[in-house]
CSV table of all heavy atoms in Angstrom, one decimal:
chain,number,residue,atom,x,y,z
A,151,CYS,N,0.8,-1.2,0.0
A,151,CYS,CA,0.0,0.0,0.0
A,151,CYS,C,0.9,1.3,0.0
A,151,CYS,O,1.8,1.4,0.8
A,151,CYS,CB,-1.0,0.0,1.2
A,151,CYS,SG,-1.9,1.4,1.4
A,152,ILE,N,0.6,2.2,-0.9
A,152,ILE,CA,1.4,3.3,-1.0
A,152,ILE,C,0.4,4.6,-0.8
A,152,ILE,O,-0.6,4.7,-1.4
A,152,ILE,CB,2.0,3.5,-2.5
A,152,ILE,CG1,3.0,2.3,-2.7
A,152,ILE,CG2,2.7,4.8,-2.7
A,152,ILE,CD1,3.5,2.2,-4.1
A,153,MET,N,0.9,5.4,0.1
A,153,MET,CA,0.1,6.6,0.5
A,153,MET,C,1.1,7.7,1.0
A,153,MET,O,2.3,7.3,1.3
A,153,MET,CB,-0.9,6.3,1.6
A,153,MET,CG,-1.9,5.3,1.2
A,153,MET,SD,-3.1,5.0,2.5
A,153,MET,CE,-4.2,6.3,2.3
A,154,ARG,N,0.6,8.8,1.2
A,154,ARG,CA,1.5,9.8,1.8
A,154,ARG,C,1.2,9.9,3.3
A,154,ARG,O,0.5,10.7,3.8
A,154,ARG,CB,1.1,11.2,1.2
A,154,ARG,CG,1.6,11.4,-0.2
A,154,ARG,CD,1.9,12.7,-0.7
A,154,ARG,NE,2.5,12.7,-2.0
A,154,ARG,CZ,2.1,13.3,-3.1
A,154,ARG,NH1,1.0,14.1,-2.9
A,154,ARG,NH2,2.7,13.2,-4.2
A,155,PHE,N,1.7,8.8,3.9
A,155,PHE,CA,1.6,8.6,5.4
A,155,PHE,C,2.3,9.7,6.1
A,155,PHE,O,3.3,10.3,5.6
A,155,PHE,CB,2.2,7.3,5.7
A,155,PHE,CG,1.4,6.0,5.2
A,155,PHE,CD1,2.0,5.3,4.2
A,155,PHE,CD2,0.3,5.7,5.8
A,155,PHE,CE1,1.3,4.2,3.8
A,155,PHE,CE2,-0.4,4.5,5.3
A,155,PHE,CZ,0.2,3.8,4.3
A,156,PRO,N,1.9,10.1,7.3
A,156,PRO,CA,2.6,11.2,8.0
A,156,PRO,C,4.0,10.9,8.2
A,156,PRO,O,4.4,9.8,8.6
A,156,PRO,CB,1.8,11.2,9.3
A,156,PRO,CG,0.4,10.6,9.1
A,156,PRO,CD,0.7,9.6,8.0
A,157,PRO,N,4.9,11.8,7.9
A,157,PRO,CA,6.3,11.5,7.9
A,157,PRO,C,6.9,11.3,9.4
A,157,PRO,O,7.9,10.6,9.5
A,157,PRO,CB,6.9,12.8,7.3
A,157,PRO,CG,5.9,13.8,7.5
A,157,PRO,CD,4.6,13.2,7.5
A,158,GLU,N,6.2,11.7,10.3
A,158,GLU,CA,6.7,11.6,11.7
A,158,GLU,C,6.4,10.3,12.3
A,158,GLU,O,6.9,10.0,13.5
A,158,GLU,CB,6.1,12.7,12.6
A,158,GLU,CG,4.6,12.7,12.9
A,158,GLU,CD,3.7,13.2,11.8
A,158,GLU,OE1,4.2,13.7,10.7
A,158,GLU,OE2,2.5,13.2,12.0
A,159,ILE,N,5.6,9.5,11.7
A,159,ILE,CA,5.3,8.1,12.3
A,159,ILE,C,6.2,7.1,11.8
A,159,ILE,O,6.7,7.1,10.6
A,159,ILE,CB,3.8,7.7,12.0
A,159,ILE,CG1,3.5,7.5,10.6
A,159,ILE,CG2,2.8,8.8,12.7
A,159,ILE,CD1,2.1,6.8,10.3
A,160,GLY,N,6.4,6.0,12.6
A,160,GLY,CA,7.3,4.9,12.2
A,160,GLY,C,6.4,3.6,11.8
A,160,GLY,O,7.0,2.7,11.2
A,161,ALA,N,5.1,3.6,12.1
A,161,ALA,CA,4.4,2.4,11.8
A,161,ALA,C,2.9,2.9,11.6
A,161,ALA,O,2.5,3.9,12.1
A,161,ALA,CB,4.4,1.4,13.0
A,162,VAL,N,2.2,2.1,10.8
A,162,VAL,CA,0.8,2.4,10.5
A,162,VAL,C,0.0,2.5,11.8
A,162,VAL,O,-0.9,3.3,11.8
A,162,VAL,CB,0.3,1.3,9.5
A,162,VAL,CG1,-1.2,1.5,9.3
A,162,VAL,CG2,1.0,1.3,8.2
A,163,GLU,N,0.3,1.7,12.7
A,163,GLU,CA,-0.5,1.8,14.0
A,163,GLU,C,-0.5,3.1,14.7
A,163,GLU,O,-1.3,3.4,15.5
A,163,GLU,CB,0.1,0.7,15.0
A,163,GLU,CG,-0.2,-0.7,14.5
A,163,GLU,CD,0.8,-1.2,13.5
A,163,GLU,OE1,2.0,-0.6,13.3
A,163,GLU,OE2,0.5,-2.2,12.7
A,164,GLU,N,0.5,3.9,14.3
A,164,GLU,CA,0.7,5.3,14.9
A,164,GLU,C,-0.2,6.3,14.3
A,164,GLU,O,-0.3,7.5,14.8
A,164,GLU,CB,2.1,5.7,14.9
A,164,GLU,CG,3.0,4.8,15.6
A,164,GLU,CD,4.5,5.2,15.5
A,164,GLU,OE1,4.8,6.4,15.2
A,164,GLU,OE2,5.4,4.3,15.6
A,165,ILE,N,-0.9,5.9,13.2
A,165,ILE,CA,-1.7,7.0,12.5
A,165,ILE,C,-3.0,7.3,13.4
A,165,ILE,O,-3.6,6.4,13.8
A,165,ILE,CB,-2.3,6.4,11.1
A,165,ILE,CG1,-1.0,6.2,10.2
A,165,ILE,CG2,-3.3,7.4,10.5
A,165,ILE,CD1,-1.4,5.5,8.9
A,166,ALA,N,-3.2,8.6,13.5
A,166,ALA,CA,-4.4,9.1,14.2
A,166,ALA,C,-5.7,8.6,13.6
A,166,ALA,O,-5.8,8.5,12.3
A,166,ALA,CB,-4.4,10.6,14.3
A,167,ALA,N,-6.7,8.3,14.5
A,167,ALA,CA,-8.0,7.9,13.9
A,167,ALA,C,-8.6,8.8,13.0
A,167,ALA,O,-9.4,8.4,12.1
A,167,ALA,CB,-8.9,7.5,15.1
A,168,ASP,N,-8.4,10.1,13.2
A,168,ASP,CA,-9.0,11.2,12.4
A,168,ASP,C,-8.1,11.6,11.2
A,168,ASP,O,-8.5,12.5,10.5
A,168,ASP,CB,-9.4,12.3,13.1
A,168,ASP,CG,-8.2,13.0,13.8
A,168,ASP,OD1,-7.1,12.5,13.8
A,168,ASP,OD2,-8.4,14.1,14.3
A,169,TRP,N,-7.0,10.8,10.9
A,169,TRP,CA,-6.2,11.2,9.7
A,169,TRP,C,-6.9,11.1,8.4
A,169,TRP,O,-7.7,10.2,8.1
A,169,TRP,CB,-5.0,10.2,9.8
A,169,TRP,CG,-4.0,10.5,8.6
A,169,TRP,CD1,-3.3,11.6,8.4
A,169,TRP,CD2,-3.7,9.6,7.6
A,169,TRP,NE1,-2.5,11.4,7.3
A,169,TRP,CE2,-2.7,10.2,6.8
A,169,TRP,CE3,-4.1,8.3,7.2
A,169,TRP,CZ2,-2.2,9.6,5.6
A,169,TRP,CZ3,-3.5,7.7,6.1
A,169,TRP,CH2,-2.5,8.4,5.3
A,170,ASP,N,-6.8,12.1,7.6
A,170,ASP,CA,-7.4,12.2,6.3
A,170,ASP,C,-6.2,12.2,5.3
A,170,ASP,O,-5.4,13.2,5.2
A,170,ASP,CB,-8.2,13.5,6.2
A,170,ASP,CG,-9.0,13.5,4.9
A,170,ASP,OD1,-9.2,12.5,4.3
A,170,ASP,OD2,-9.3,14.7,4.5
A,171,PRO,N,-6.0,11.1,4.6
A,171,PRO,CA,-4.8,11.0,3.7
A,171,PRO,C,-4.8,12.0,2.6
A,171,PRO,O,-5.8,12.2,2.0
A,171,PRO,CB,-4.9,9.6,3.2
A,171,PRO,CG,-6.3,9.1,3.4
A,171,PRO,CD,-6.8,9.8,4.5
A,172,PRO,N,-3.7,12.7,2.4
A,172,PRO,CA,-3.7,13.6,1.3
A,172,PRO,C,-3.6,12.8,-0.1
A,172,PRO,O,-3.2,11.7,-0.2
A,172,PRO,CB,-2.3,14.4,1.5
A,172,PRO,CG,-1.6,13.5,2.4
A,172,PRO,CD,-2.5,12.6,3.2
A,173,SER,N,-3.9,13.6,-1.1
A,173,SER,CA,-3.9,13.0,-2.5
A,173,SER,C,-2.5,12.7,-2.9
A,173,SER,O,-1.5,13.5,-2.6
A,173,SER,CB,-4.5,14.0,-3.4
A,173,SER,OG,-4.4,13.6,-4.8
A,174,LEU,N,-2.3,11.6,-3.6
A,174,LEU,CA,-1.1,11.3,-4.3
A,174,LEU,C,-1.0,12.0,-5.6
A,174,LEU,O,0.1,12.1,-6.2
A,174,LEU,CB,-1.0,9.8,-4.6
A,174,LEU,CG,-0.7,8.8,-3.4
A,174,LEU,CD1,-0.9,7.4,-3.9
A,174,LEU,CD2,0.6,9.1,-2.8
A,175,GLY,N,-2.1,12.4,-6.2
A,175,GLY,CA,-2.2,13.1,-7.5
A,175,GLY,C,-3.6,12.6,-8.1
A,175,GLY,O,-4.3,11.9,-7.5
A,176,THR,N,-3.7,13.0,-9.3
A,176,THR,CA,-4.9,12.5,-10.1
A,176,THR,C,-4.7,11.1,-10.7
A,176,THR,O,-3.6,10.6,-10.7
A,176,THR,CB,-5.2,13.6,-11.2
A,176,THR,OG1,-4.1,13.4,-12.2
A,176,THR,CG2,-5.4,14.9,-10.7
A,177,GLY,N,-5.8,10.6,-11.2
A,177,GLY,CA,-5.7,9.3,-11.9
A,177,GLY,C,-4.6,9.3,-13.0
A,177,GLY,O,-3.9,8.4,-13.2
């Protein structure tokens, strides 16, 4: 899975529940 995950986290489990992933770009 490729996303613009928050740069300050070291693992997916650290993502805040209210995180809204930013766009990677258009189709």
Side-chain angles (χ1 to χ4, degrees):
C151 177
I152 299 171
M153 298 178 84
R154 290 205 174 125
F155 293 102
E158 68 276 4
I159 65 169
V162 174
E163 293 79 20
E164 297 174 28
I165 296 173
D168 61 349
W169 178 64
D170 188 22
S173 174
L174 289 172
T176 63

